[in-house]
Structures are given as structure tokens and as C-alpha cells.
Amino acid sequence: MKNCYLINFDEIGNDENGYLIALEENKQIPFDIKRVYYTHRVPCDSKRGFHAHHNLEQVLVCLSGKVIMKCFDGSDEIEYSLDSPNKGVYIGPMVWHEMYGYTEETVLMAVASDLYKEVDYIRSMDLFMELVNDEK
Ligand code: TYD
């Protein structure tokens, strides 16, 4: 699987007082951070994503509730079940991703390497496959 992997974050604390997780650029997050955004109150039967990016790098962290992330690099597909804030999924360039299996509590945060630029999106699977095959 290209440009996509799970990251486990170290937790500071204990059961008595709770836990803290710090995300710093070029440490837990493997790039310079330019933007953070999150989705919440997504209906449980919704599916989101359905795109890849030309250049953007992101780490997605499920802060509350659960969500499933399906990632596809044009050849291999992998599904991550995100159910804890102590892990994140790195999604680099040219990874088609879809999110589903939301719960009422789901808050999905994304830490991103660039500002929002619609021109960086690939929202058509046909175009995505063409670009993947051009790269080969
Ligand atoms: P999109 O990235 O397609 O969301 P998802 O992958 O969760 O389905 O974005 C949904 C809408 O929000 C789209 O109209 C673009 C807009 N948007 C912003 O304005 N700024 C942002 O940082 C992001 C991520 C999206």
C-alpha cells in the first residue's frame, strides 16, 4: 500500500487522571502542519471522502466515536477501523479514501499539510485510475 499507513500516538498520563496526546509537526505528524479541520454530526449512514489528492498529506484521527476508512492506491486496498484518539491514518498523495460506519459521537479530525485547495482534489475514480496508470 503506497502513501498510507497507521500511526500509533504515545499517550501521556494514567487511568487516574486521564491521558494527553500531543501532535507536533515533523514528529508525530510527518509534515509541516498548515490546516486542521474536522467533521461531526455526520449521519450514521453517510459516506464521505470519495476523492484523492494530487499533493496534500493528511493524518486523520477519530477523536470520539468510530469510523471506518477505506484507502486505495490504485492497486491495493486497506480498511482501517478508527475507534480511538490514540491512532491516526496517514494519507499522502494519490490515495483514494472513503469514510463510513460513523456513529453519533464521531468527530473525525484531519491535520493537513496545506490550505484548502479544490484544485488539489481528484474527485473522479476514472481520472484517479488514469493518473495512477500514467505514473506506472
Ligand atoms: P470534502 O473534502 O469533500 O469533505 P469529505 O472528504 O469529508 O467528504 O469537503 C466538503 C466541502 O467542504 C467541500 O465543499 C469543500 C469544503 N471544504 C472547505 O471549505 N475547507 C476545507 O478545509 C475542507 C476540507 C473542505
Side-chain angles (χ1 to χ4, degrees), residues 4 20 29 36 106 113 132:
C4 184
L20 182 150
I29 303 297
V36 174
T106 303
S113 66
V132 166

Side-chain angles (χ1 to χ4, degrees), residues 1-135:
M1 184 77 197
K2 265 193 241 162
N3 289 356
C4 184
Y5 54 85
L6 192 72
I7 305 173
N8 290 303
F9 303 127
D10 288 338
E11 300 191 73
I12 302 164
N14 54 49
D15 283 348
E16 202 178 325
N17 291 311
Y19 291 87
L20 182 150
I21 294 170
L23 304 181
E24 295 190 11
E25 60 185 0
N26 300 310
K27 289 187 182 165
Q28 297 86 352
I29 303 297
F31 48 78
D32 291 352
I33 298 170
K34 276 270 192 74
R35 174 171 52 122
V36 174
Y37 65 90
Y38 40 88
T39 53
H40 68 127
R41 294 177 61 192
V42 175
C44 297
D45 57 357
S46 279
K47 294 184 172 191
R48 301 191 60 119
F50 294 89
H51 63 255
H53 289 277
H54 290 286
N55 294 305
L56 190 71
E57 295 178 89
Q58 304 191 82
V59 173
L60 280 89
V61 184
C62 187
L63 295 178
S64 166
K66 286 188 212 174
V67 70
I68 296 167
M69 288 205 62
K70 189 160 86 177
C71 304
F72 174 57
D73 66 5
S75 312
D76 297 320
E77 186 176 284
I78 190 162
E79 258 186 20
Y80 294 105
S81 176
L82 291 181
D83 55 6
S84 165
N86 66 10
K87 58 190 173 185
V89 176
Y90 170 82
I91 297 181
M94 298 301 289
V95 176
W96 186 269
H97 50 286
E98 301 175 6
M99 289 83 81
Y100 58 94
Y102 288 85
T103 63
E104 280 180 15
E105 300 77 21
T106 303
V107 178
L108 182 61
M109 175 182 75
V111 178
S113 66
D114 204 353
L115 305 181
Y116 169 71
K117 290 174 185 160
E118 185 59 36
V119 70
D120 189 62
Y121 279 72
I122 304 160
R123 292 194 184 271
S124 144
M125 175 57 92
D126 288 348
L127 175 60
F128 174 71
M129 288 309 301
E130 263 178 49
L131 293 170
V132 166
N133 289 324
D134 285 353
E135 271 181 14

